[in-house]
Amino acid sequence: MLGEYAWGAGALAYLYRQLGIASRAEAKGVSGCLTLLQCWIYDHFPTLRPTRLEPRELEQGQAGAFRWRGTAPRSSKRRDAQMLAYYRQAIDRLTPQSVTWTPYGRSPHLTVRRTLYQGLLRFAEIAEYYDPTRCLRQLGYVQGVPYPPERPLVVRRPASTLGYSLSYHSVYDSYWNNLGAHSVHLDVFSTQIRRRPWEFAENYMTWYIRHSHPHILSDSRPVDDISDADTVSTIIF
């Protein structure tokens, strides 16, 4: 058992796994708590919200999803294809100024200590690794190169979604209930952001470009053509 807040950790673990499965070539959909993912997108990327979606104040006891109110457009194959192309272009065109880096305040870890937890999130047989050093700017800190992830014992990620599986050593299951020993210590990293919320350490973008996909659209410039001078305005953060 994960103990305290296990339901939230379980929901997040399941969503992480489904997003991984959805990235496979044969995937035709995605499952999990997509309302959680949708609200996270609306919180961080205002330009990706539907135009008729308006934020509102929460009433006592209401879930965070009630902050957003709007009408979903009618779906059709043609419209869905157009929207997919639109959002791909919109993501490629994101700038640091168009991202809300700290939507939960500058120090959310002071209110929810498990924000700094580093280890496995589990739902039944599903286990996914959670590492806040990969999103330090959400905590109000300058982003540096994150810690290397823990390697699973077994990894199977074929194109077929039926064969997707990961498994970790059982020792990681004890991390959740030992928060003090398995939390990120922010003082190890750089100081809190004082000027721009998208700030990153000098060597971070070199690491990021080497490990990630700077653009979604295939007709974008190759990674080798992107210099340090223009990464701030062209890379997806």
Side-chain angles (χ1 to χ4, degrees):
M1 295 294 292
L2 287 175
E4 186 182 16
Y5 305 123
W7 66 269
L12 196 57
Y14 186 80
L15 178 60
Y16 283 168
R17 177 59 56 86
Q18 295 306 312
L19 290 173
I21 292 175
S23 69
R24 301 295 92 189
E26 291 188 359
K28 298 184 182 299
V30 62
S31 62
C33 187
L34 299 183
T35 301
L36 173 62
L37 177 62
Q38 192 173 17
C39 289
W40 182 86
I41 293 171
Y42 291 168
D43 281 334
H44 287 82
F45 306 102
T47 57
L48 300 184
R49 299 173 194 160
T51 56
R52 288 183 290 177
L53 200 63
E54 298 178 358
R56 62 178 181 176
E57 295 295 325
L58 289 176
E59 298 178 5
Q60 184 68 29
Q62 281 189 320
F66 280 92
R67 283 177 298 169
W68 306 105
R69 176 176 55 192
T71 303
R74 293 183 178 180
S75 179
S76 67
K77 287 186 178 181
R78 181 177 179 180
R79 181 179 179 84
D80 291 347
Q82 291 173 338
M83 292 301 294
L84 178 61
Y86 167 79
Y87 280 115
R88 284 175 172 172
Q89 292 176 352
I91 292 174
D92 275 348
R93 293 171 181 168
L94 282 174
T95 66
Q97 293 84 355
S98 61
V99 177
T100 302
W101 295 98
T102 54
Y104 317 114
R106 278 295 179 95
S107 305
H109 56 284
L110 298 180
T111 304
V112 182
R113 290 183 60 227
R114 289 194 183 274
T115 300
L116 298 181
Y117 168 72
Q118 187 177 35
L120 290 188
L121 302 178
R122 184 176 289 279
F123 173 78
E125 77 283 357
I126 295 174
E128 292 288 333
Y129 196 72
Y130 174 80
D131 184 5
T133 69
R134 293 179 175 269
C135 54
L136 287 173
R137 283 172 290 198
Q138 292 187 72
L139 305 177
Y141 279 72
V142 174
Q143 180 64 56
V145 175
Y147 293 138
E150 296 291 340
R151 295 190 177 275
L153 290 175
V154 179
V155 179
R156 295 186 70 248
R157 288 173 172 162
S160 171
T161 59
L162 298 177
Y164 189 106
S165 64
L166 290 86
S167 62
Y168 289 84
H169 196 287
S170 59
V171 68
Y172 296 122
D173 288 338
S174 64
Y175 285 14
W176 181 263
N177 292 318
N178 190 2
L179 187 61
H182 300 288
S183 293
V184 172
H185 297 284
L186 293 175
D187 54 355
V188 174
F189 295 90
S190 54
T191 57
Q192 282 187 296
I193 295 171
R194 299 186 183 279
R195 294 178 296 134
R196 303 174 302 176
W198 57 83
E199 286 185 275
F200 50 83
E202 183 178 356
N203 59 341
Y204 172 71
M205 290 309 299
T206 301
W207 173 90
Y208 180 86
I209 293 174
R210 188 169 64 248
H211 288 83
S212 190
H213 301 280
H215 294 92
I216 292 178
L217 298 179
S218 59
D219 59 351
S220 298
R221 287 180 299 162
V223 173
D224 293 341
D225 291 342
I226 302 174
S227 66
D228 291 338
D230 61 3
T231 50
V232 170
S233 61
T234 59
I235 298 295
I236 305 171
F237 286 79

